[in-house]
Amino acid sequence: MIWCVLNGELMPLSEARISPMDRGFLFGDGVYEVLACINGRMRAPALHRKRLLESLSAIRLSVDVDQIFADMMRVLKRSSLTNAKIYLQITRGASDVRSHTFPKEVKPTCFITAMPFEFTKLEPAKAIVREDIRWRKNKIKSISLLANVLLLQEAKEAEAEEVILFREGQVTEASTSNVFLLTGGALTTPSLCDDVLPGITRYLVLEIARNQGLPIVERSVKVEELAIADTLFVSSSTRGLLPIVELNPGGPVGAGVPTVEFYALQDAYNLSLYQNHLDD
Ligand code: PLP
């Protein structure tokens, strides 16, 4: 059975009900988080907490984040899942009056689910490369994901796993992950800005690379650089490090296979998932 917590109440997912006047439904007025839980422990909760607070502050919404993290543990324990993905959605709530502006005295809606999750090493994949048609504040983890939905559907229809996005010729990120290039033994990733979500996995990959002594460059990346990288990969909490070996348009990346440096980074990341320092 899938369990959830809706506004502080633990219940089977099949019993959860939300008003059609909820501003998440009407306006996409909310933010979300996704956390991986490995062996019953949340991965990097402090980093997720910080990003959640930043997203909430950016949309001027105030909720009790300590309570939310306690509710996440409740749903995780009730689900009896060793490994899980926790999805947290917070909206500005439901009001009887449909108006774009913030209603007065409305209680936010907070919905948490735990889904089964197996962390497996993924096969090298294909990505399509498309113009970034999303809004200009992608550093906020907004629930308004229509552009991502349309782009990822296009990828699926092209038998690709991801969509690498660019704006004015510069790579921003991918539709559900951050982008990295390994070239000549150095690790490059687009700098953080309004157009890029500060991925928790991105942060951890950079930390691991630093510990391995890899040179790290955070800068703007031209879309033409993607195909000439030795290895191109994307990162996210649910997929870890996924190598991209073919682009459309763009053709094969580098020699068409991920390098030894990539696998060393991927192995170190996968190992780090089981280490306690991520609990901080
Ligand atoms: N960028 C986008 C647009 C995403 O949707 C995600 C994950 O959902 C990421 C990056 C990666 O973030 P994280 O590593 O925190 O999962």
Side-chain angles (χ1 to χ4, degrees):
M1 186 188 294
I2 297 177
W3 288 86
C4 69
V5 171
L6 178 60
N7 299 327
E9 204 182 320
L10 183 67
M11 62 182 84
L13 179 61
S14 56
E15 287 175 18
R17 299 285 179 271
I18 292 173
S19 164
M21 292 304 282
D22 193 278
R23 293 177 62 88
F25 180 63
L26 296 181
F27 301 113
D29 184 2
V31 295
Y32 77 110
E33 266 299 322
V34 187
L35 282 92
C37 298
I38 315 275
N39 288 344
R41 303 165 85 114
M42 287 184 202
R43 191 204 67 145
L47 295 174
H48 282 281
R49 185 194 159 91
K50 177 170 174 283
R51 186 173 67 186
L52 174 62
L53 284 167
E54 283 164 6
S55 292
L56 288 166
S57 153
I59 69 160
R60 296 161 60 190
L61 194 55
S62 169
V63 294
D64 182 347
V65 170
D66 288 338
Q67 185 57 51
I68 284 173
F69 272 74
D71 285 344
M72 284 188 200
M73 280 319 291
R74 277 170 73 209
V75 74
L76 182 64
K77 289 209 170 103
R78 188 67 187 80
S79 306
S80 310
L81 293 167
T82 315
N83 297 329
K85 286 186 277 192
I86 295 188
Y87 286 90
L88 158 70
Q89 313 277 135
I90 304 174
T91 76
R92 208 176 301 279
S95 158
D96 288 347
V97 180
R98 189 191 190 284
S99 161
H100 283 57
T101 52
F102 300 172
K104 280 198 183 102
E105 289 170 25
V106 73
K107 272 201 357 224
T109 303
C110 176
F111 175 62
I112 304 166
T113 46
M115 301 285 181
F117 171 52
E118 270 322 313
F119 199 81
T120 46
K121 217 168 175 169
L122 296 162
E123 289 302 312
K126 240 166 87 172
I128 59 171
V129 182
R130 294 289 183 272
E131 173 111 36
D132 193 341
I133 56 168
R134 304 171 304 162
W135 74 327
R136 307 299 301 245
K137 289 274 178 199
N138 299 296
K139 70 174 181 186
I140 302 171
K141 207 160 166 60
S142 159
I143 60 169
S144 306
L145 292 172
L146 184 55
N148 308 56
V149 165
L150 295 175
L151 288 161
L152 209 47
Q153 181 61 28
E154 198 182 334
K156 188 179 172 190
E157 286 164 10
E159 289 172 9
E161 287 291 321
E162 247 302 11
V163 190
I164 298 186
L165 303 168
F166 63 89
R167 194 163 261 169
E168 286 152 23
Q170 313 290 335
V171 176
T172 52
E173 56 181 337
S175 71
T176 58
S177 47
N178 293 106
V179 175
F180 286 88
L181 292 78
L182 266 168
T183 311
L187 184 66
T188 303
T189 189
S191 312
L192 292 181
C193 61
D194 278 1
D195 288 339
V196 177
L197 182 80
I200 306 305
T201 320
R202 178 188 184 278
Y203 177 95
L204 298 172
V205 167
L206 291 176
E207 193 179 67
I208 291 166
R210 218 168 279 126
N211 290 340
Q212 288 187 345
L214 276 182
I216 292 166
V217 193
E218 290 181 71
R219 62 166 170 83
S220 49
V221 173
K222 290 200 181 78
V223 70
E224 301 82 45
E225 292 182 65
L226 294 171
I228 56 173
D230 295 337
T231 304
L232 172 66
F233 68 94
V234 293
S235 71
S236 71
S237 297
T238 50
R239 290 201 286 204
L241 278 55
L242 173 68
I244 302 295
V245 289
E246 198 184 323
L247 297 170
N248 178 7
V253 175
V257 283
T259 54
V260 173
E261 282 105 344
F262 168 74
Y263 284 114
L265 203 56
Q266 190 188 46
D267 286 347
Y269 173 79
N270 290 348
L271 203 65
S272 78
L273 292 172
Y274 297 92
Q275 289 167 355
N276 294 344
H277 76 277
L278 295 182
D279 289 354
D280 298 342

